[in-house]
Amino acid sequence: MTTGASEPLLALSNVNTFYGQAQVHFDLSITVARGHIVCLLGGNASGKSTTMKIILGLVKPRSGNVTFDGASLIGLTTPQIVRRGIASVPEARRLFADMSVRENILMGAFVRNDREAVAQDLDKMLTLFPKLGQRLSQRAGSLSGGEQQMVAMARALMSRPRMIVMDEPTMGLSPLYVDRVLELIRAINQEGVSVFMVEQNASLALEIAHEAYVLQTGKIVLSGPARALKDDPRVRDAYLGGSEAA
Amino acid sequence: MSSWLDYTINGLIVGNVYALVAVGLALIFGVSRLINFAQGSIYLVGAYIGWVAVVQLHTPLPLTIIVVAAAAAIVGLIIERFGLRPLQNSVRIAPLLATIGISFVLDQLVMLTFSPNPRALPSQLPDVRFQVGGGTIGPLDLLIAGVGLTSALLLFVFLRYSKLGWAVRAASQDRDAAMQMGVDVNRVNQAVFGIAAALGGVSGMLVGMYYNQIDTAMSLQATLKGVVAEVVGGAGNVPGAVIGSLLLGLVESYGVAVFGTSYRNLFAFLLLVVVLVLRPNGLFASARQAPPEPLTGTFIAPSRPVRIPWWALAVAAAGFAVLPLFPVSFYVLQTLINAWLLGMLALSLTLVAGTMGQVSLGHAALLAIGAYTSALLSLTLNVPVGLAVIGGGLMSAALGTLLISPSFRLRGHYVSIATLAIGEIVSLVILNWESVTRGPIGISGIPPLSVFGYDLISPTSIYWFSFAVMVVLALLQGRLLTSHLGRSFRAIRDDDIAARAYGLSLNRYKSLAFIFGGFAAGISGGIAAHLYSYINHETFNTQQSILALTVVILGGLGNVVGAMLGAVALVGLPEVFRIAAEYRILIYGIVLLLLVRFRPQGLLGTM
């Protein structure tokens, strides 16, 4: 479901990021087209999660630009970026453990002021994630990992975002829940929400993504349509750090 | 029987007062993971604003409460905006030190404005007592209970039903995740500082009315009690803070009933130490909660220390050694003797806080132990003074390490709280253990310094002696830091989990650091006792602990030369500029604030 605009929804261009002296990103450029699912693949310490933090304004790049819907996000605070229409499903879900499931989901609508519509959206979440209905007044911290992932996704959707960024949404989940999460990401996307996800599990991510980028020690070593990358042996090589040999 | 009811009522009322302070601390800790050591100063400010309103403006009681709450809230907002927000991205120790600096500045400003003499704060309520069961209760008791309950209710409604309240709760559970929901953490911080300050200020006013007296010593006491109540209830846990406060009030009240008034604080701090040792997450924490503060090396600003060539140090040392041969005044020598004594304490603290990462706020207790041991050895057992001073050092090393050992498994802020409490406990034991320490009277007629039978009476000889002792201690410590022991200390400071994984025993190395540090501080205290010839339980107080900490940070945490340089600078410069004594503490507070803000690594850099 593309809107027809040729301009990408999100674009990182020539981003260089440092933690102290150590450079994490080298001229990183990534684009997410409107209505697409884009995944960023890579092994440990490749700079994937930092890419997420750059988009959300939690880490500032030293140089380069990040634009969302044509406007630069550089210099904006995280809350300001969220108000522009980007929601996140953080790594390891990061629910508010001592708040109830209902409160967690409603926290997702923190930037909204239309109370009635928020209440309707909460009902909508319960049809999308029927299991959460019985859990609404439970402490979020008491749910299983898979259920927590559902809450995190519902929470992200509550802001009616134009794009959701997800950090390893399948991490630590049982195989049953992994399939369910992937299905949901596809469903969310079909509602018109663009998705940028960071994943270690390349074969799963490539199942649902439109495009993919492979990150290795801060550099994009491979990118293209997900279908094409699926059987590309270089993807696996990138994980094993043997790209020079390949 | 009736008196027990009275003690219970009194305990609950005092507990209510503590709760107003502790709830604020819990809110702030929840959102910022910061123990706000300036909370007591806001309480003090509240009491004095209350005095101005009641005595000078003659405001009616409801208006007084509103004025105090509003004015205190403004002070809280200013602290947050200008004292703490600029430190958001700096090392974890920075905001902690900043709140200590702020509390010094506020306390001194109040003292300079209103004079240190106590003032009466009339309660504006009729002085009647109602019979309840077998006890009595007055209108002020009811007012305090009413303010406590109303505040708790308002706070509950705020946290549960308002949008900002939700933001506060979310930010206190996961700051980054809250930001990703669009929560502006600065606004949340503003809200909690404003609320905490309003409650703290009202609390100070109510206490002033309860005892019909206010003075500047209230500040530290309030911070200590609030921290105790908060930690007992579980740091960051708002309902826990209320229950912890009531519990603390009752424990104190019953303790006073059985043992007498001078034991009140002893019970408070013993309760704190017991809770810290047995349940560092507080009485009500569930097992699943994360252990307190997974802090690693980021607690201390990493930096490249300034390299000073050995010949420059030798020249400086020689210069100070020959100084008395020149016609310098007695006053200069006296000032430098004070600097050398403070330098020894700073060597001790820089080892413990800088090299080992255990930021002690009760270091003056080590001075007190050394001083009392040395004084009593020479007075009652006629031990030669030179040996008595060494005995003081050894006692400080042994007893100090023993006292601190229960807190070896704590980290970060909790070490600071525990050492603060242990410092208070030592001073209270000295006050109450009359058969040995002569209690509140203190020890007078302590013989002057002497070494191998030669009395050191002249300022020149005392100068040389104290300078030599400090240099020897510094050389030993420098040697220690370059050995594998120094490396082990730093490894534990930077990451105690990793250090343990490599087989380093935390207990052993922390003990060694405190033994060495305790010895240096004990020697300093011992020498001081013989110089002053009179000491009591207040000679070595928290102010000195904080002064030592400022010296150490000024020099650079862990930096041996820095500790001595810091001592000379902080003792010497106010003398050079002839700053009046009452402004000195204010200056120390401002120095601490400026350092934390602009040069957290100190003059010579952390090591």
Side-chain angles (χ1 to χ4, degrees):
Chain A
M1 203 196 85
T2 47
T3 53
S6 58
E7 185 191 51
L9 183 60
L10 177 86
L12 280 77
S13 39
N14 300 313
V15 166
N16 288 289
T17 315
F18 291 77
Y19 286 138
Q21 299 287 315
Q23 186 161 4
V24 184
H25 290 147
F26 298 84
D27 284 324
L28 190 69
S29 295
I30 290 173
T31 55
V32 178
R34 286 165 205 273
H36 275 201
I37 300 176
V38 173
C39 69
L40 180 63
L41 305 171
N44 290 326
S46 57
K48 299 190 306 293
S49 293
T50 304
T51 310
M52 240 197 63
K53 289 179 181 156
I54 293 275
I55 296 170
L56 288 166
L58 291 165
V59 171
K60 311 274 174 227
R62 188 170 293 181
S63 65
N65 199 7
V66 182
T67 58
F68 183 68
D69 204 9
S72 175
L73 298 182
I74 300 292
L76 297 188
T77 64
T78 304
Q80 286 168 332
I81 290 171
V82 172
R83 279 168 204 274
R84 294 274 171 103
I86 301 181
S88 82
V89 177
E91 186 178 1
R93 304 171 286 276
R94 305 284 286 267
L95 296 187
F96 306 111
D98 287 330
M99 293 171 88
S100 70
V101 169
R102 179 200 300 276
E103 287 174 327
N104 265 279
I105 297 175
L106 288 175
M107 268 312 289
F110 188 80
V111 295
R112 294 172 57 185
N113 291 313
D114 44 344
R115 280 172 171 252
E116 282 116 60
V118 168
Q120 285 169 14
D121 281 5
L122 178 62
D123 290 339
K124 225 174 98 186
M125 289 310 135
L126 298 183
T127 44
L128 195 57
F129 307 95
K131 266 198 164 172
L132 298 182
Q134 312 133 28
R135 305 257 187 241
L136 278 179
S137 49
Q138 231 169 295
R139 262 184 81 244
S142 68
L143 302 187
S144 74
E147 288 169 329
Q148 289 194 17
Q149 189 65 45
M150 300 294 137
V151 177
M153 290 171 76
R155 185 177 67 173
L157 285 170
M158 283 300 285
S159 65
R160 293 196 176 169
R162 285 188 284 167
M163 186 173 99
I164 297 189
V165 293
M166 302 188 186
D167 198 346
E168 307 213 18
T170 64
M171 188 174 74
L173 299 186
S174 65
L176 204 69
Y177 265 114
V178 168
D179 289 346
R180 176 95 185 92
V181 165
L182 293 178
E183 236 170 75
L184 280 165
I185 293 173
R186 203 178 261 152
I188 289 167
N189 177 245
Q190 269 153 14
E191 303 245 319
V193 181
S194 308
V195 175
F196 177 75
M197 58 189 271
V198 158
E199 256 300 346
Q200 285 218 37
N201 193 332
S203 55
L204 285 176
L206 292 172
E207 294 264 322
I208 60 165
H210 297 99
E211 284 92 33
Y213 291 82
V214 179
L215 194 61
Q216 192 185 10
T217 54
K219 294 176 190 122
I220 299 288
V221 291
L222 210 56
S223 65
R227 211 169 304 140
L229 289 178
K230 221 166 164 179
D231 305 311
D232 195 324
R234 288 178 301 174
V235 173
R236 194 153 48 110
D237 289 340
Y239 274 79
L240 300 174
S243 64
E244 289 90 353
Chain B
M1 190 59 215
S2 71
S3 63
W4 280 107
L5 190 59
D6 273 336
Y7 281 116
T8 307
I9 292 173
N10 176 263
L12 290 175
I13 297 302
V14 172
N16 253 298
V17 166
Y18 293 159
L20 289 172
V21 176
V23 160
L25 286 170
L27 278 174
I28 291 172
F29 188 89
V31 173
S32 317
R33 295 287 175 270
L34 166 71
I35 303 267
N36 178 18
F37 280 99
Q39 185 74 356
S41 303
I42 294 170
Y43 165 100
L44 179 71
V45 168
Y48 276 86
I49 293 170
W51 180 84
V52 170
V54 170
V55 175
Q56 304 206 308
L57 306 175
H58 308 288
T59 52
L61 185 61
L63 185 59
T64 309
I65 294 177
I66 293 171
V67 166
V68 168
I74 290 171
V75 175
L77 291 178
I78 292 173
I79 292 177
E80 190 278 328
R81 181 64 191 84
F82 299 102
L84 299 174
R85 200 181 296 178
L87 302 175
Q88 249 169 13
N89 297 319
S90 53
V91 287
R92 291 289 309 276
I93 197 178
L96 172 84
L97 296 172
T99 62
I100 292 174
I102 290 166
S103 91
F104 265 54
V105 170
L106 280 179
D107 290 0
Q108 291 303 311
L109 288 179
V110 169
M111 194 182 278
L112 292 171
T113 316
F114 294 96
S115 93
N117 301 325
R119 276 160 201 264
L121 177 55
S123 82
Q124 300 177 293
L125 285 170
D127 190 18
V128 291
R129 308 287 303 177
F130 309 111
Q131 294 290 325
V132 181
T136 65
I137 193 163
L140 191 55
D141 297 324
L142 294 174
L143 173 70
I144 291 175
V147 170
L149 287 174
T150 312
S151 312
L153 190 69
L154 286 177
L155 198 58
F156 175 80
V157 169
F158 166 73
L159 290 175
R160 210 44 184 274
Y161 299 107
S162 78
K163 203 161 177 180
L164 189 54
W166 280 43
V168 169
R169 284 162 65 209
S172 72
Q173 287 171 43
D174 192 328
R175 196 187 167 96
D176 275 7
M179 283 168 72
Q180 291 175 40
M181 299 303 121
V183 171
D184 182 345
V185 179
N186 285 336
R187 274 200 64 210
V188 167
N189 273 331
Q190 265 173 0
V192 298
F193 268 89
I195 294 170
L199 294 178
V202 170
S203 175
M205 181 204 75
L206 291 173
V207 169
M209 290 182 174
Y210 193 66
Y211 295 111
N212 193 19
Q213 181 185 321
I214 54 175
D215 63 59
T216 42
M218 292 166 70
S219 165
L220 180 66
Q221 286 302 317
T223 301
L224 291 173
K225 295 301 172 61
V227 167
V228 174
E230 195 223 342
V231 173
V232 168
N237 179 344
V238 173
V242 174
I243 297 171
S245 301
L246 295 177
L247 190 66
L248 176 63
L250 287 174
V251 165
E252 281 188 12
S253 192
Y254 293 144
V256 167
V258 177
F259 296 97
T261 318
S262 59
Y263 284 86
R264 173 182 284 273
N265 292 345
L266 197 54
F267 282 101
F269 298 124
L270 287 177
L271 179 67
L272 174 70
V273 172
V274 168
V275 169
L276 277 181
V277 170
L278 298 181
R279 306 208 60 153
N281 286 330
L283 290 180
F284 313 107
S286 57
R288 78 167 68 235
Q289 261 171 311
E293 292 195 272
L295 277 184
T296 52
T298 51
F299 200 58
I300 281 166
S303 74
R304 202 178 290 271
V306 176
R307 279 237 155 269
I308 300 176
W310 65 269
W311 57 263
L313 288 176
V315 167
F320 278 115
V322 300
L323 185 74
L325 301 177
F326 295 91
V328 289
S329 69
F330 171 76
Y331 172 73
V332 170
L333 290 185
Q334 192 60 47
T335 303
L336 283 172
I337 290 169
N338 286 338
W340 305 147
L341 289 178
L342 184 60
M344 292 176 215
L345 182 66
L347 282 174
S348 161
L349 186 58
T350 210
L351 177 71
V352 167
T355 311
M356 192 75 224
Q358 312 289 298
V359 178
S360 160
L361 297 181
H363 234 58
L366 298 171
L367 288 179
I369 295 172
Y372 267 84
T373 306
S374 186
L376 290 170
L377 281 177
S378 59
L379 264 180
T380 54
L381 299 178
N382 292 319
V383 174
V385 170
L387 287 179
V389 169
I390 292 175
L394 292 175
M395 181 60 98
S396 231
L399 197 56
T401 309
L402 188 70
L403 285 172
I404 196 73
S405 61
S407 73
F408 280 167
R409 58 205 206 90
L410 303 175
R411 296 183 193 145
H413 284 102
Y414 289 83
V415 176
S416 302
I417 297 171
T419 48
L420 190 60
I422 290 165
E424 292 292 312
I425 289 172
V426 166
S427 144
L428 289 165
V429 167
I430 289 173
L431 176 65
N432 285 299
W433 197 7
E434 293 192 19
S435 60
V436 173
T437 63
R438 307 185 189 177
I441 303 163
I443 301 178
S444 52
I446 304 169
L449 277 178
S450 72
V451 186
F452 304 121
Y454 297 100
D455 282 356
L456 305 178
I457 309 271
S458 74
T460 314
S461 58
I462 296 171
Y463 175 94
W464 270 325
F465 177 71
S466 48
F467 182 63
V469 171
M470 182 188 71
V471 169
V472 169
L473 287 171
L475 289 173
L476 279 175
Q477 190 160 324
R479 180 76 193 78
L480 182 81
L481 293 185
T482 51
S483 71
H484 89 280
L485 210 55
R487 272 195 304 281
S488 307
F489 287 164
R490 281 189 289 265
I492 289 172
R493 169 191 75 189
D494 289 344
D495 194 334
D496 69 358
I497 294 171
R500 250 182 310 179
Y502 276 95
L504 296 184
S505 152
L506 298 193
N507 285 340
R508 176 181 309 153
Y509 288 99
K510 287 186 180 177
S511 299
L512 283 170
F514 274 95
I515 286 171
F516 192 89
F519 182 74
I523 294 277
S524 171
I527 295 175
H530 295 283
L531 288 184
Y532 303 162
S533 86
Y534 171 77
I535 54 174
N536 69 16
H537 69 284
E538 284 174 333
T539 309
F540 308 100
N541 56 20
T542 308
Q543 237 169 42
Q544 292 205 19
S545 301
I546 306 297
L547 176 60
L549 189 62
T550 311
V551 164
V552 163
I553 290 160
L554 178 64
L557 277 159
N559 196 314
V560 171
V561 179
M564 294 182 285
L565 178 70
V568 172
L570 228 52
V571 172
L573 289 184
E575 302 288 345
V576 171
F577 293 109
R578 310 217 170 253
I579 293 166
E582 59 260 42
Y583 288 98
R584 283 197 189 157
I585 306 288
L586 182 64
I587 305 262
Y588 296 149
I590 293 171
V591 167
L592 187 56
L593 278 176
L594 291 177
L595 274 174
V596 165
R597 175 80 177 85
F598 297 107
R599 202 169 163 85
Q601 74 273 37
L603 292 176
L604 298 185
T606 54
M607 289 180 82

